Amino acid sequence: MVKTVLVTGVNGFIGSHVAALLGKSHRVYGTGGAPACSVPLAGYRQMVLPDPQLAAFMRQVRPDVVVHCAGRGSIPFSVNHPAEDFDAGPRLVAHVLDSMRRAAVPARFFFPSSAAVYGNPERLPVSEDAPLCPVSPYGCHKVLSEKLISQYHSLYGIEYVVLRVFSCYGEGLSKQLLWDAAVKACAGRVELSGTGEETRDFIHVHDLARLAELLMLRDVSCVTLNAASGRQVSVKELAGLLMRGLEADVPVLFSGAQRQGDPLRWQADVARMQSLGFEPHISLEEGVRRFARWFRQQGARRNGS
């Protein structure tokens, strides 16, 4: 079944991958701050949200699904700029939901939330029913956004899918841990925060896009899901995979100092996701190899320019 999809923040990391995958089989429209879109679309509107014209664009497009990818995705940024992170988080969520209400479009709202809502879980793997105890403004703002989504569903009947994304990575992500470590490897010295024993649960962005498409095609609604692999991996192990992928003979050091707002250990309970028939296709080993290959290509382009 061909769906009509509107992706906000379509030029961003997650938004561009979701739009590229869905665009192969569906009518995908997008909004973003850049003059043009980085992926082929059925239609694109340049706008920086919040924008009063969003509701009118929704009435024109008549989407079946709105995938809200606009905003920020950085815990350190939220710690240093909490008010700006609020504006890019709950404020934008309320704006998009209210634009849907005013446009009166019968669309489902897909929202990439974050494992940051759990903070430091008491036990692992952490399920969707675990207490929400964020330890950063970013996590707190995701909790607030989820509450807004629930309220708009209760009051106005807007259906939703909330994906609590754990550590999403992949080609095109020019920030966060893999990018930071790769840039430092090129400089000949890799020192990362923490001890290296901190753990994360990684999901490749292509698998995240596949999950969104599966849920969209099955008309799943009013559900909150962990989006992850279910595998706990230490930062030290991840860094080793990256160095091998880059063919970099560089030791990886750790400062021992924890960054404020960072969780210590993450592993998702993915039983609910699996019950809907979804399994990730891209292993961490393969995903890191892909990232390393993409990173080397970026360096080759820069050196050749």
Side-chain angles (χ1 to χ4, degrees):
M1 176 182 286
V2 176
K3 300 281 189 178
T4 300
V5 183
L6 174 60
V7 181
T8 69
V10 74
N11 289 313
F13 174 59
I14 292 178
S16 62
H17 280 270
V18 168
L21 178 68
L22 296 184
K24 296 176 180 178
S25 306
H26 308 279
R27 291 183 297 272
V28 179
Y29 297 81
T31 68
C37 184
S38 58
V39 296
L41 295 174
Y44 175 74
R45 182 69 59 85
Q46 182 182 9
M47 58 175 65
V48 177
L49 301 182
D51 188 305
Q53 296 304 310
L54 180 59
F57 188 50
M58 288 180 174
R59 282 192 290 268
Q60 174 188 335
V61 171
R62 305 295 298 176
D64 300 302
V65 172
V66 174
V67 185
H68 177 53
C69 296
R72 295 186 179 274
S74 169
I75 287 176
F77 179 89
S78 78
V79 172
N80 295 320
H81 307 280
E84 292 179 46
D85 191 75
F86 177 86
D87 286 343
R91 183 185 180 205
L92 286 195
V93 168
H95 172 67
V96 175
L97 288 169
D98 208 55
S99 297
M100 293 172 66
R101 179 189 67 83
R102 290 186 290 112
V105 292
R108 273 174 294 155
F109 182 75
F110 274 55
F111 179 62
S113 185
S114 169
V117 300
Y118 299 121
N120 285 305
E122 293 182 359
R123 60 177 60 89
L124 296 175
V126 59
S127 76
E128 293 88 347
D129 298 323
L132 305 185
C133 302
V135 294
S136 66
Y138 176 75
C140 180
H141 296 156
K142 290 295 188 182
V143 172
L144 291 175
S145 296
E146 290 189 16
K147 289 183 177 180
L148 282 168
I149 294 166
S150 179
Q151 184 181 69
Y152 268 79
H153 170 67
S154 298
L155 293 177
Y156 310 112
I158 295 177
E159 297 185 348
Y160 65 87
V161 171
V162 170
L163 298 176
R164 289 180 179 159
V165 183
F166 279 63
S167 296
C168 185
Y169 74 103
E171 307 89 287
L173 183 59
S174 55
K175 60 179 181 179
Q176 298 183 3
L177 179 58
L178 283 174
W179 176 266
D180 183 39
V183 169
K184 290 177 177 177
C186 291
R189 175 180 168 82
V190 179
E191 182 173 334
L192 305 174
S193 62
T195 65
E197 300 304 322
E198 299 83 4
T199 62
R200 298 291 181 263
D201 189 334
F202 292 91
I203 182 168
H204 194 276
V205 67
H206 183 73
D207 280 326
L208 180 62
R210 286 182 51 247
L211 175 59
E213 182 178 35
L214 173 71
L215 299 174
M216 183 181 74
L217 290 175
R218 294 193 176 184
D219 291 324
V220 174
S221 66
C222 303
V223 65
T224 297
L225 294 175
N226 286 336
S229 68
R231 174 186 172 189
Q232 185 177 190
V233 177
S234 73
V235 173
K236 184 181 295 183
E237 180 181 349
L238 177 75
L241 289 174
L242 178 61
M243 294 306 114
R244 288 194 289 275
L246 294 172
E247 298 179 356
D249 186 17
V250 180
V252 179
L253 308 174
F254 294 90
S255 68
Q258 297 290 339
R259 291 192 312 182
Q260 190 174 10
D262 276 356
L264 296 177
R265 304 181 74 84
W266 270 352
Q267 181 186 14
D269 181 336
V270 294
R272 190 177 294 181
M273 182 184 76
Q274 290 173 334
S275 72
L276 294 168
F278 183 82
E279 291 283 351
H281 281 177
I282 301 175
S283 68
L284 181 61
E285 291 77 9
E286 173 60 23
V288 172
R289 282 195 294 269
R290 291 188 184 191
F291 177 87
R293 184 166 58 247
W294 168 80
F295 182 86
R296 291 197 303 270
Q297 290 170 349
Q298 302 312 298
R301 292 191 185 102
R302 286 192 297 270
N303 293 333
S305 62

